[in-house]
Amino acid sequence: MDNTVFIVDDDASIRDALGLLLGLRGFRTAFFADGASFLQAFRTDWRGCFLIDIRMPGMDGLTLQRRIQDIGCDVPIVILTGHGDVGSAREAFRANAVDFLEKPLDEARLILAIEEAFKRQDAGLKESGLRDQVASRLSDLTPREREVMDLVVSGKHNREIAAELGISVRTVEVHKARIMSKLKVGSVAQLVRISLGLDRGS
């Protein structure tokens, strides 16, 4: 079966919008309104990636992600959310999500996430190579930047970090900007992903 983007979202308008966008980009798509109907239809020969909304009636997206893992399916997953938080991002990435995208979706980042998922599906991910790449980037961080990074991925807000380290909120913001620049990430969710990658590699 050719690579397909399987979309699981209870919002019909989101499904329609994603179907139009991805169809115009040449992607094959399939749609499901909830986790139960997705699991009922699931076939072991599916290839591509799953786009799963995190908040759905009945079975939420993170539970569905775990169910997919439990049945031994290795199709890459991208989590979609209208209410992102660090805790949910950590849980999604611990279960090997490709990305954690907040609505309204950034079209360019969505396409990149899907393309990365297809690459994982087709060629597999070289975890050791990624760990080496991340370790190289991390070596550029100062000790203070590592402290700030650890507090950010633990879920603390800027004011809490400032109070704990005895620095201003503005200084925390500067450190975060430098950290993201050095690590080449564009969001806290991606920073969490890198942190979890380090945990696996240590």
Side-chain angles (χ1 to χ4, degrees):
M1 184 175 184
D2 292 336
N3 279 341
T4 301
V5 182
F6 298 87
I7 299 163
V8 188
D9 196 309
D10 63 305
D11 189 329
S13 64
I14 295 292
R15 296 196 302 271
D16 291 344
L18 285 173
L20 178 60
L21 168 64
L22 297 178
L24 290 173
R25 292 292 195 118
F27 292 102
R28 292 167 53 95
T29 53
F31 305 91
F32 302 89
D34 55 60
S37 61
F38 173 87
L39 289 175
Q40 186 174 18
F42 175 76
R43 288 169 39 185
T44 56
D45 65 345
W46 281 357
R47 293 177 59 80
C49 75
F50 302 149
L51 298 185
I52 300 176
D53 185 40
I54 202 170
R55 290 195 177 183
M56 296 184 289
M59 185 186 308
D60 65 67
L62 295 178
T63 300
L64 176 57
Q65 184 184 17
R66 290 193 296 271
R67 293 279 184 88
I68 290 168
Q69 283 196 315
D70 289 344
I71 61 179
C73 176
D74 61 358
V75 173
I77 295 172
V78 176
I79 295 293
L80 310 178
T81 178
H83 309 275
D85 62 77
V86 170
S88 296
R90 286 180 65 87
E91 185 172 351
F93 286 131
R94 281 190 186 280
N96 295 320
V98 173
D99 210 339
F100 185 88
L101 305 180
E102 294 190 30
K103 300 175 183 175
L105 296 172
D106 178 275
E107 180 178 334
R109 187 171 168 197
L110 172 64
I111 298 303
L112 285 174
I114 292 171
E115 289 175 346
E116 180 182 347
F118 282 1
K119 287 177 183 177
R120 287 194 191 187
Q121 177 74 84
D122 293 338
L125 187 64
K126 303 296 184 182
E127 290 288 352
S128 60
L130 284 180
R131 282 197 296 267
D132 290 344
Q133 186 179 69
V134 170
S136 176
R137 292 175 184 173
L138 278 164
S139 67
D140 291 334
L141 296 184
T142 67
R144 176 63 88 185
E145 287 167 349
R146 284 299 299 268
E147 281 184 305
V148 172
M149 175 179 166
D150 289 343
L151 292 171
V152 169
V153 301
S154 73
K156 292 186 181 295
H157 298 294
N158 289 354
R159 290 188 180 280
E160 296 174 299
I161 296 171
E164 184 162 336
L165 297 181
I167 57 180
S168 70
V169 172
R170 175 58 184 159
T171 300
V172 173
E173 292 171 349
V174 170
H175 282 313
K176 283 177 67 175
R178 288 176 178 168
I179 291 165
M180 291 187 174
S181 175
K182 289 180 179 181
L183 298 182
K184 303 185 187 305
V185 299
S187 69
V188 171
Q190 291 176 315
L191 198 62
V192 170
R193 177 183 173 185
I194 281 183
S195 173
L196 293 173
L198 288 174
D199 291 343
R200 288 196 298 270
S202 59

